[in-house]
Amino acid sequence: MTIHVIGAGVTGLSFAKASKDEVTILESCERIGGKALSYKVETSVGTFGFDVGGHWFHYQSTPAVLDILQGLDLKAHTRKAFVYLHERFFKFPIQQSYIWHPDEKFVGNVKKELQLANSDHEYTNYEDMLQQSYGLTLYESFFKDYNSKMYGIHDLSEIGVGRFETIRNVRTNTNVTGYNGDFLYPQGDTGAGGIPLFLADHLQINYNKKVTSINIKNKTMIINNATVSWDTIVSTMPLNSLVGMVKDVDDHILALSKQLKFSKGMILNLGVKKTRLQGDMSWVYFPDPHLHFYRVGFYSNVESSLAPLGYCSMYVECSPLFFGNKEEALALVPTIIKELIEIGFIHHADEIVTTKAIYLDHNYCLPDTSKTKVIHHYLESAGIYSIGRYGSWHWSSQHEDMQQAWDLANKLALRDLSNSQKMRTKVILSL
Ligand SMILES: Cc1cc2nc3c(=O)[nH]c(=O)nc-3n(C[C@H](O)[C@H](O)[C@H](O)COP(=O)(O)OP(=O)(O)OC[C@H]3O[C@@H](n4cnc5c(N)ncnc54)[C@H](O)[C@@H]3O)c2cc1C
């Protein structure tokens, strides 16, 4: 049996690597990696390396995925992250560093509220989870605006909790490092793209093969105008796009998929002269509702070969609260650069060597398991498995996507084994 895998990002590649079946990988682009790709820019001062925003490998909740990456040169790093609050940098996580805030009333309130935080509470939505976990003072000063800017949604009670809390232990843990205190990153100048490159080794990828339509009843799909038969599909494209592509889909499923919420994104990559303020920071969170970005990070502070000596390769994650489409997003670039200069991450516009803005149609999928469970069940009963951050419709990271791919490959192998045993029993009985 051949399994058609849609997408050669980390999820599709991990599935193909783990699968015991024959696999055909279809990738609409001419390169692998999906969101986890990297690129280089040659300039007069040397070579800069960039990813699509920080792609740090946080493996703690799924250590088994490291087996898949055995042989890849991954270096461990300790997170040096900060929160820029009230014009000061506080070490992340803020629920520990708030004690350095100069306002005693603020410190007293946060302390009191953190002591009252209710760990047994059943959260009804994302806003509830943040308020119950951190108290109202930290919620109002950091979590509310930061999360709204990141997910592009003002009312956080519209977001489900999903599996966020159990996976990431974002609560008021006293553990200094928190859930992502250490992370891995490929050593050398490959950037995060070194991971998909490693996964793709020995796999045959069919590039420029875009799936444009799927038919469940006939079990056919259209790839670049050609009709192809399929038996099982593993899709990593966004779930709403996948459902929209199924020509004979149930109206109810289509209606559910149209209700799924997600954010668009824009990453602004910059190669700039190194400033003192950049120091050795990994990344910084920005809750200030007036700033047009929610996070800024520094690739070359983690892997120095990603920028020439005396320079830095950095990324800015821009908030979708300020744009509705690509044109509007790109128009924000000069304002964002001005804000970076005001903060001190860049001294002067003349010190910017290279910039690239990357617009993302899908950045964060806002989990809504009451709908996605129904959609996934429908698709799976037709032989279509939708996995990965965009396929499962969750805010997962690479390691969780890889684990999901690995688990599915094993599940399908068991299914095939049990089918072939049933066939054998049938043959024996009919003899
Ligand atoms: C800005 C940003 C920052 C992130 N930071 C981190 C981080 O620090 N750490 C971390 O672990 N994760 C991070 N992530 C998440 C990480 O990128 C994803 O978890 C992971 O890349 C998802 O991989 P995927 O293969 O499921 O999907 P994708 O990477 O989206 O790959 C899907 C592939 O399918 C292809 N495709 C789509 N439609 C079709 C079609 N119709 N036909 C054929 N091919 C198709 C696409 O071209 C693409 O190659 C970040 C993501 C973003 C956007």
Side-chain angles (χ1 to χ4, degrees), residues 4 6 214-217 219-220 230-237 239 242-243 245-246 248-249 375-387 408 412 415:
H4 285 89
I6 304 179
I214 296 172
N215 190 300
I216 286 179
K217 219 174 181 181
K219 288 223 155 186
T220 55
W230 58 271
D231 176 83
T232 301
I233 292 176
V234 172
S235 170
T236 64
M237 75 169 89
L239 182 61
L242 171 68
V243 172
M245 203 174 270
V246 179
D248 51 349
V249 71
I375 300 173
H376 283 123
H377 182 261
Y378 172 86
L379 291 173
E380 284 178 22
S381 54
I384 303 173
Y385 297 84
S386 182
I387 59 168
L408 179 62
L412 293 185
R415 177 195 69 173

Side-chain angles (χ1 to χ4, degrees), residues 98-394:
Y98 72 93
I99 52 164
W100 304 111
H101 198 289
D103 181 347
E104 282 177 21
K105 196 168 159 218
F106 174 89
V107 174
N109 286 345
V110 174
K111 193 171 183 180
K112 219 169 24 202
E113 290 164 12
L114 283 178
Q115 277 163 356
L116 290 174
N118 184 354
S119 59
D120 299 326
H121 187 78
E122 280 275 314
Y123 309 111
T124 48
N125 57 55
Y126 196 67
E127 178 189 68
D128 184 38
M129 183 192 86
L130 293 172
Q131 290 181 351
Q132 297 289 340
S133 300
Y134 304 107
L136 273 185
T137 307
L138 271 188
Y139 175 75
E140 290 294 341
S141 54
F142 172 60
F143 289 100
K144 178 174 185 288
D145 291 325
Y146 173 72
N147 280 281
S148 289
K149 280 168 74 178
M150 178 165 60
Y151 296 127
I153 192 162
H154 285 289
D155 184 356
L156 296 177
S157 71
E158 286 180 19
I159 308 178
V161 174
R163 57 175 198 267
F164 192 69
E165 200 247 333
T166 46
I167 283 186
R168 302 187 181 208
N169 185 20
V170 290
R171 315 292 304 288
T172 57
N173 55 57
T174 47
N175 167 358
V176 179
T177 53
Y179 78 93
N180 62 2
D182 301 306
F183 58 90
L184 302 173
Y185 193 73
Q187 187 144 24
D189 66 354
T190 61
I195 292 177
L197 274 178
F198 177 84
L199 291 169
D201 194 29
H202 289 104
L203 292 177
Q204 203 200 320
I205 321 281
N206 298 287
Y207 294 101
N208 299 314
K209 297 283 183 207
K210 184 168 182 164
V211 179
T212 52
S213 122
I214 296 172
N215 190 300
I216 286 179
K217 219 174 181 181
N218 304 341
K219 288 223 155 186
T220 55
M221 63 177 150
I222 297 183
I223 308 168
N224 295 356
N225 298 324
T227 303
V228 173
S229 299
W230 58 271
D231 176 83
T232 301
I233 292 176
V234 172
S235 170
T236 64
M237 75 169 89
L239 182 61
N240 57 349
S241 314
L242 171 68
V243 172
M245 203 174 270
V246 179
K247 292 300 159 212
D248 51 349
V249 71
D250 191 293
D251 286 345
H252 174 58
I253 298 297
L254 184 62
L256 283 181
S257 76
K258 286 184 175 166
Q259 291 165 33
L260 296 177
K261 294 191 180 116
F262 59 100
S263 69
K264 296 179 185 303
M266 183 173 75
I267 306 301
L268 179 62
N269 279 335
L270 300 123
V272 299
K273 247 203 169 135
K274 182 100 183 139
T275 64
R276 222 157 66 105
L277 184 63
Q278 293 165 8
D280 61 352
M281 289 172 167
S282 317
W283 63 85
V284 184
Y285 300 93
F286 289 89
D288 183 338
H290 304 294
L291 293 172
H292 290 73
F293 41 84
Y294 55 90
R295 199 160 43 203
V296 172
F298 305 92
Y299 305 112
S300 56
N301 279 354
V302 173
E303 171 51 58
S304 60
S305 61
L306 295 178
L309 199 64
Y311 290 84
C312 174
S313 62
M314 60 185 284
Y315 60 90
V316 183
E317 297 183 59
C318 311
S319 170
L321 280 184
F322 299 101
F323 57 84
N325 56 41
K326 187 173 179 177
E327 226 170 46
E328 287 172 14
L330 296 180
L332 288 175
V333 171
T335 310
I336 290 165
I337 290 178
K338 197 168 140 261
E339 291 171 353
L340 293 171
I341 293 173
E342 278 165 11
I343 291 168
F345 282 142
I346 305 172
H347 278 149
H348 193 272
D350 288 353
E351 297 189 351
I352 302 173
V353 183
T354 174
T355 59
K356 183 173 178 173
I358 302 169
Y359 182 76
L360 302 169
D361 276 326
H362 285 83
N363 189 1
Y364 287 100
C365 303
L366 306 184
D368 187 345
T369 44
S370 65
K371 297 187 180 71
T372 50
K373 257 188 193 161
V374 178
I375 300 173
H376 283 123
H377 182 261
Y378 172 86
L379 291 173
E380 284 178 22
S381 54
I384 303 173
Y385 297 84
S386 182
I387 59 168
R389 175 174 170 129
Y390 303 95
S392 66
W393 207 262
H394 217 289

